[in-house]
């Protein structure tokens, strides 16, 4: 079932106009080759090494939370193993990130970011921290491509446009060579 869903999605993705790679000077003063793309579609349909899950601080046990949004889709398709592994990692600081296996999904791993507080709200500082933390893990692990949902949008209280602007701005400051996709969720037509 996953393979059929993925091949249909890849056909839709191929029809989108590609963006070109641009040199970006990181805050460390090093010029990186980062390709920033904004994609309308489904995070789970992206042909990347690793995806990012917009999560919480990991204080409430995952099995007590109702699956919704990105996390709900990941639970449905990956199974529970990434979340069991996540639960064993303990609390995540706001803006922090941890890596788990990808379960039944075709990615090399999932990076879970703590983008919302215990009050289920996000902040610009948390969104920026999530982008920095996820890209740092991707760089350290040698992942050449990463796809993000819009962190802080929806449950977090930010408009999708504002969340995207913050995320793009922070990614441009990162020391990361590779493709960075920001995926605005759109249901398949």
């Amino acid at each position: 079932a996953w393979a059929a869903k993925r091949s249909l999605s890849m056909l839709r993705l191929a029809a989108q106009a590609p963006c070109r790679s641009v040199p970006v000077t990181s805050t460390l003063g090093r010029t990186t080759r980062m390709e920033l793309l904004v994609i309308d579609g489904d995070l789970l349909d992206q042909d990347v090494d690793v995806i990012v899950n917009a999560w919480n601080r990991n204080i409430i046990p995952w099995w007590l939370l109702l699956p919704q949004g990105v996390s709900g889709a990941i639970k449905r398709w990956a199974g529970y193993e990434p979340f069991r592994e996540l639960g064993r990692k303990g609390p995540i600081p706001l803006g922090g990130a941890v890596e788990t296996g990808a379960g039944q999904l075709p990615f090399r791993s999932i990076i879970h970011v703590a983008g919302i507080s215990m009050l289920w709200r996000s902040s610009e500082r948390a969104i920026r921290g999530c982008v920095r933390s996820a890209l740092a893990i991707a760089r350290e692990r040698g992942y050449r491509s990463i796809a993000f949902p819009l962190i802080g949008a929806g449950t977090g209280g930010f408009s999708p446009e504002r969340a995207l602007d913050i995320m793009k701005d922070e990614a441009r400051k990162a020391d990361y060579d590779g493709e960075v996709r920001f995926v605005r969720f759109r249901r398949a037509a």
Side-chain angles (χ1 to χ4, degrees), residues 41-63:
D42 189 327
L43 180 74
L44 301 184
D45 293 339
Q46 304 308 305
D47 186 18
V48 293
D49 288 341
V50 62
I51 60 169
V52 174
N53 177 27
W55 191 236
N56 58 56
R57 300 234 7 253
N58 209 34
I59 294 171
I60 301 169
W62 66 268
W63 44 269

Side-chain angles (χ1 to χ4, degrees), residues 120-189:
W120 300 102
R121 303 309 287 166
S122 194
S123 66
E124 181 172 335
R125 182 176 174 198
I127 294 168
R128 287 182 182 281
C130 289
V131 172
R132 259 192 322 274
S133 298
L135 288 174
I137 290 173
R139 182 186 68 247
E140 289 164 11
R141 300 275 291 134
Y143 298 134
R144 303 294 303 146
S145 55
I146 184 171
F148 286 85
L150 298 185
I151 299 164
T155 303
F158 277 74
S159 72
E161 297 79 18
R162 180 69 179 129
L164 179 60
D165 288 345
I166 294 167
M167 293 176 71
K168 287 191 306 187
D169 181 62
E170 194 60 36
R172 286 185 183 105
K173 298 174 186 176
D175 184 20
Y176 179 74
D177 289 316
E179 182 181 280
V180 178
R181 294 183 182 195
F182 298 112
V183 183
R184 294 182 293 205
F185 180 71
R186 300 285 190 271
R187 292 195 190 283

Side-chain angles (χ1 to χ4, degrees), residues 17-37:
C19 295
R20 63 185 179 83
S21 176
V22 263
V24 176
T25 302
S26 74
T27 55
L28 301 175
R30 187 172 90 79
T31 300
T32 61
R33 294 296 302 177
M34 181 186 297
E35 186 174 8
L36 292 176
L37 299 123

Side-chain angles (χ1 to χ4, degrees), residues 62-68 72 75:
W62 66 268
W63 44 269
L64 284 177
L65 300 171
L66 296 174
Q68 57 184 344
K75 285 178 193 173

